[in-house]
Amino acid sequence: MLTETIGWHTLNETASGTNMGKVRPASLSFETTFWFLYREGCCTGKFENQKNKLSCEMARLQNLLCIFCLVGLSATQDMPYEELVAQIKACPKECRCPPNFARAVYCDNKGLKNLPKIPPYTWYLYLQNNLIETLSSDALQNATQLRWINLNRNRITSEGVGDGLLSSMTNLAHLYMDDNLLSSVPSPLPASLEHLRLSRNRISKIPAGVFVGLEKLSLLDLQGNKLMDDAVTEVSLKGLSNLVQINLAKNQLSKMPLGLPPSTTQLYLDGNNIDKIPAGYFKGLPKVAFLRLNNNKLGSGGVPKDVFNRSSILDLQLSYNQLTEVPLIPSGLEHLHLDHNKITNVNGSNICPVPVDAVDDSLNESAPQLRYLRLDGNEINPPIPRDVITCFRFLRSIVI
């Protein structure tokens, strides 16, 4: 006899005198489950006295539909049955634990002041938009499998982060603590970390060695804090050997940061007080492709003519500065933002990365690749000189 309980499937089958016992279809291979259920019946039970062939075939068709439902349910579960049951039973009353995404626990927007006890098999934990002030050392001791924690928009202070809490989470890859009250980068951090977001806090200090051993960290977001030049140094950034993106926008920097790893591809420094760039600065950043220096105090006197002439740079943003002339750009640059400066004129001879008369009519890879150019908010009167158009054959948009 075959029986089924909707939701959790229990099979009792006696075939050829052999008792198969209680078996969940999810524990069988797809092929075995498919043939077993197709032949023996599912949902409607086994048909022992079929009146005719047609009714048998109709029953099997119904069983096939049931099989697809069963396979669909199994596919949404990335955890063993016993863990799934334990996870749902342990869901805090303040939170939501969707059965179809059982490894995620949603405790956001609940007005929580303390962390509830988190189920043991949680991978994704959402605690944003609460009133949490502290994270005690044992607050997450039950949730050792955490991969992702969102603690954005709470009231957590540096003093409120328990010693060893974060480093004990050896599977944690994403830690989001934007819009809190941190005064320092939390320490120590787990070696498994890949993304660390700490924007819009009150961070003025990066403890020496805090990033040592974080070889997997590829994204570091520190925008909107209170970092000054002496906080962002080679010592404080040591260990970021595989960093791809670093966001230091809207801090209190007056100089280009030192000690950035050579792996840096995206560098965001908007909204600081930077007024000059050392010659050869980007030689130490051979992979930088996206560079944003909008809303600083850069004048042409503080920007060496060829400092941006690096073949890796694809997107260069220098809006809202004090430039009076266009810096030399690389042939591979695709987007250039020079709006809202003090540039008075632009012509092919001073902006084209190659001699204008050397640019032929063909659109090949050797030609300058610029596609987007912003010059509005300067002291330039239209029209754009023809030699600029001649140089940049790939241009699709010019804003003036």
Side-chain angles (χ1 to χ4, degrees):
M1 180 182 70
L2 172 67
T3 61
E4 177 197 18
T5 302
I6 300 300
W8 315 122
H9 299 278
T10 302
L11 300 181
N12 288 323
E13 173 64 15
T14 302
S16 301
T18 301
N19 184 5
M20 295 178 61
K22 293 186 177 181
V23 181
R24 291 180 299 104
S27 66
L28 303 176
S29 68
F30 175 78
E31 293 83 359
T32 303
T33 303
F34 183 92
W35 173 248
F36 176 76
L37 293 178
Y38 175 74
R39 191 188 68 173
E40 301 297 334
C42 176
C43 302
T44 59
K46 180 178 180 180
F47 286 81
E48 298 176 350
N49 297 305
Q50 296 292 347
K51 297 299 183 183
N52 52 59
K53 184 177 180 179
L54 178 60
S55 62
C56 180
E57 292 302 321
M58 290 297 292
R60 285 180 172 176
L61 178 59
Q62 185 176 4
N63 295 338
L64 284 176
L65 295 175
C66 182
I67 289 172
F68 291 127
C69 292
L70 175 61
V71 172
L73 177 62
S74 299
T76 64
Q77 301 170 7
D78 59 353
M79 60 200 304
Y81 172 76
E82 293 77 11
E83 292 184 6
L84 178 61
V85 174
Q87 181 78 355
I88 294 175
K89 285 183 177 179
C91 186
K93 65 180 185 299
E94 306 96 332
C95 310
R96 293 183 298 109
C97 306
N100 62 338
F101 192 32
R103 292 196 184 274
V105 177
Y106 295 87
C107 308
D108 52 307
N109 296 287
K110 300 296 183 181
L112 299 177
K113 294 185 178 181
N114 298 295
L115 264 65
K117 187 176 181 180
I118 305 303
Y121 303 107
T122 304
W123 285 9
Y124 309 99
L125 178 58
Y126 299 89
L127 287 159
Q128 67 269 27
N129 297 312
N130 281 295
L131 305 173
I132 299 169
E133 296 181 1
T134 61
L135 302 173
S136 62
S137 299
D138 60 352
L140 295 170
Q141 64 179 358
N142 193 47
T144 58
Q145 297 186 17
L146 280 171
R147 271 99 166 136
W148 182 308
I149 303 179
N150 189 332
L151 285 159
N152 293 344
R153 292 179 290 281
N154 277 280
R155 300 177 180 179
I156 303 168
T157 63
S158 292
E159 296 75 19
V161 180
D163 294 337
L165 170 69
L166 298 175
S167 60
S168 66
M169 291 185 280
T170 56
N171 294 302
L172 189 64
H174 297 258
L175 175 59
Y176 298 164
M177 298 183 72
D178 298 336
D179 298 287
N180 277 280
L181 303 175
L182 300 173
S183 58
S184 175
V185 173
S187 175
L189 293 165
S192 56
L193 207 58
E194 298 176 12
H195 289 185
L196 178 59
R197 295 185 181 274
L198 301 170
S199 63
R200 294 178 297 280
N201 277 273
R202 301 175 180 179
I203 296 174
S204 60
K205 179 182 178 182
I206 302 176
V210 68
F211 299 123
V212 172
L214 301 191
E215 297 180 357
K216 295 182 179 180
L217 193 68
S218 62
L219 183 150
L220 177 59
D221 189 351
L222 288 164
Q223 69 165 314
N225 281 287
K226 297 184 177 182
L227 293 168
M228 301 182 73
D229 297 322
D230 58 357
V232 186
T233 66
E234 188 172 358
V235 173
S236 64
L237 298 180
K238 185 178 180 180
L240 297 174
S241 57
N242 291 302
L243 192 70
V244 174
Q245 180 188 124
I246 183 168
N247 192 338
L248 293 166
K250 298 181 180 179
N251 277 279
Q252 299 175 17
L253 303 176
S254 60
K255 300 177 181 178
M256 296 293 288
L258 301 176
L260 296 177
S263 58
T264 304
T265 302
Q266 302 173 38
L267 176 57
Y268 303 142
L269 293 165
D270 313 77
N272 281 284
N273 298 310
I274 299 170
D275 58 3
K276 62 181 178 181
I277 302 174
Y281 179 83
F282 295 105
K283 289 182 179 180
L285 299 172
K287 294 184 178 181
V288 66
F290 302 91
L291 178 59
R292 293 197 331 216
L293 280 156
N294 302 320
N295 293 98
N296 276 281
K297 297 181 179 180
L298 290 169
S300 292
V303 179
K305 184 70 175 178
D306 64 346
V307 73
F308 299 120
N309 191 20
R310 309 295 303 175
S311 60
S312 61
I313 300 179
L314 301 175
D315 189 296
L316 177 59
Q317 300 188 22
L318 297 166
S319 305
Y320 291 92
N321 278 281
Q322 300 170 21
L323 300 173
T324 55
E325 56 186 57
V326 179
L328 185 63
I329 61 174
S331 291
L333 189 70
E334 296 181 3
H335 296 83
L336 178 59
H337 297 245
L338 290 169
D339 54 288
H340 299 89
N341 278 276
K342 297 181 179 180
I343 300 170
T344 56
N345 67 81
V346 58
N347 58 66
S349 62
N350 65 21
I351 190 174
C352 191
V354 298
V356 175
D357 55 9
V359 180
D360 58 32
D361 293 333
S362 62
L363 296 177
N364 55 55
E365 294 183 359
S366 64
Q369 300 294 303
L370 195 66
R371 288 161 165 75
Y372 181 84
L373 175 61
R374 279 197 66 174
L375 290 166
D376 53 306
N378 283 283
E379 300 172 17
I380 303 171
N381 295 318
I384 293 292
R386 185 174 181 80
D387 55 2
V388 173
I389 307 300
T390 301
C391 173
F392 300 111
R393 301 270 179 175
F394 288 97
L395 262 178
R396 295 291 178 268
S397 178
I398 303 178
V399 184
I400 187 171

